[in-house]
Amino acid sequence: AQSVSQHNHHVILSEAASLELGCNYSYGGTVNLFWYVQYPGQHLQLLLKYFSGDPLVKGIKGFEAEFIKSKFSFNLRKPSVQWSDTAEYFCAVNNAGNMLTFGGGTRLMVKP
Amino acid sequence: NAGVMQNPRHLVRRRGQEARLRCSPMKGHSHVYWYRQLPEEGLKFMVYLQKENIIDESGMPKERFSAEFPKEGPSILRIQQVVRGDSAAYFCASSLTGTRAGEQYFGPGTRLTVT
């Protein structure tokens, strides 16, 4: 069955630390990849997406993600986190059909 | 430019009652998706609809759950005879085209609590 894995369930960082959140998926064919963020009390917002082309994708708020096809990975990175980045982050994949398959989410807490 | 609207935001139902969750997609969007998020889990796909058609309901429980997206009005997710295990956050998303070409925009969710 299709699956998306986010191995870090909870991450705690201090402000200005660098961030990398892992995402691995289990499909072999063409995929579209997404990272969504859910701030406390708010709905999911799209951070960035990959459909094709340059595997290094830049999103909003200084986030970027790199698609590595050989590793089936789409890790999210930010060089220097801020307190306002405290949120839950979801990786999602679309391969066939129209549904998104989500990872279990990673809760990030940034200490001021 | 209104985003995806969902109501109610919070819904409390007793076991055995019916729950109706509404979703109005973004203006111009004709693709609607419903997802369920159980506590401490990621979102799970339930159903994908276009106007007046269910396209993919592979994630819907076989019983008690139904969805519609009429020609006029919002999409409705209906849960009959709710049980405690139905307590979850239900998110609606919409897209301009099918997701292979475009991304989905999410609503704020409806948090259903079954007592």
Side-chain angles (χ1 to χ4, degrees), chain A residues 30 32 34 36 38 43-44 46 49 51 90 94-95 97-100 102-104 107, chain B residues 33 35 37 40-43 45 48 56 58 91 98-101 103-104 106-108:
Chain A
T30 302
N32 293 343
F34 306 83
Y36 284 86
Q38 188 174 27
H43 59 93
L44 273 80
L46 183 67
K49 62 189 177 189
F51 290 158
F90 293 94
N94 166 253
N95 69 326
N98 298 90
M99 72 179 81
L100 289 173
F102 282 84
R107 288 195 177 165
Chain B
Y33 314 79
Y35 293 84
Q37 184 181 26
E40 303 299 319
E41 294 186 16
L43 283 76
F45 168 78
Y48 161 45
D56 182 349
S58 58
F91 291 93
T99 303
R100 290 299 284 180
E103 64 265 21
Q104 297 179 11
F106 282 80

Side-chain angles (χ1 to χ4, degrees), chain A residues 35-47 60-61 86-90 102, chain B residues 1-6 9 24 26 37 43 89-94 104-111:
Chain A
W35 275 97
Y36 284 86
V37 61
Q38 188 174 27
Y39 297 103
Q42 296 188 27
H43 59 93
L44 273 80
Q45 300 172 39
L46 183 67
L47 264 183
I60 61 171
K61 304 185 181 185
T86 294
E88 189 159 16
Y89 293 81
F90 293 94
F102 282 84
Chain B
N1 185 15
V4 178
M5 310 284 284
Q6 288 188 250
R9 295 290 305 274
S24 296
M26 283 183 69
Q37 184 181 26
L43 283 76
Y90 292 83
F91 291 93
C92 169
S94 73
Q104 297 179 11
Y105 294 84
F106 282 80
T110 294
R111 273 155 181 79

Side-chain angles (χ1 to χ4, degrees), chain A residues 3-7 22-26 71-75 91 93:
Chain A
S3 67
V4 178
S5 298
Q6 291 181 242
H7 302 295
C23 173
N24 289 89
Y25 59 93
S26 64
K71 294 185 178 180
F72 300 90
S73 69
F74 190 56
N75 292 356
C91 179
V93 175

Side-chain angles (χ1 to χ4, degrees), chain B residues 8-88:
Chain B
R9 295 290 305 274
H10 299 274
L11 182 61
V12 179
R13 285 287 178 265
R14 290 200 179 96
R15 279 179 296 171
Q17 291 184 318
E18 179 180 286
R20 279 185 181 240
L21 288 63
R22 296 176 193 78
C23 169
S24 296
M26 283 183 69
K27 187 176 181 180
H29 286 192
S30 60
H31 300 250
V32 166
Y33 314 79
W34 285 93
Y35 293 84
R36 177 165 65 174
Q37 184 181 26
L38 294 170
E40 303 299 319
E41 294 186 16
L43 283 76
K44 297 285 194 296
F45 168 78
M46 298 181 76
V47 61
Y48 161 45
L49 310 102
Q50 291 183 29
K51 283 286 187 181
E52 299 185 275
N53 289 304
I54 296 174
I55 307 302
D56 182 349
E57 55 181 349
S58 58
M60 286 279 270
K62 294 287 184 269
E63 297 177 347
R64 303 187 296 108
F65 285 72
S66 62
E68 62 177 12
F69 189 16
K71 187 177 180 181
E72 301 291 336
S75 175
I76 306 286
L77 179 68
R78 183 179 175 209
I79 311 173
Q80 295 178 290
Q81 299 176 334
V82 295
V83 300
R84 288 238 172 92
D86 297 332
S87 294

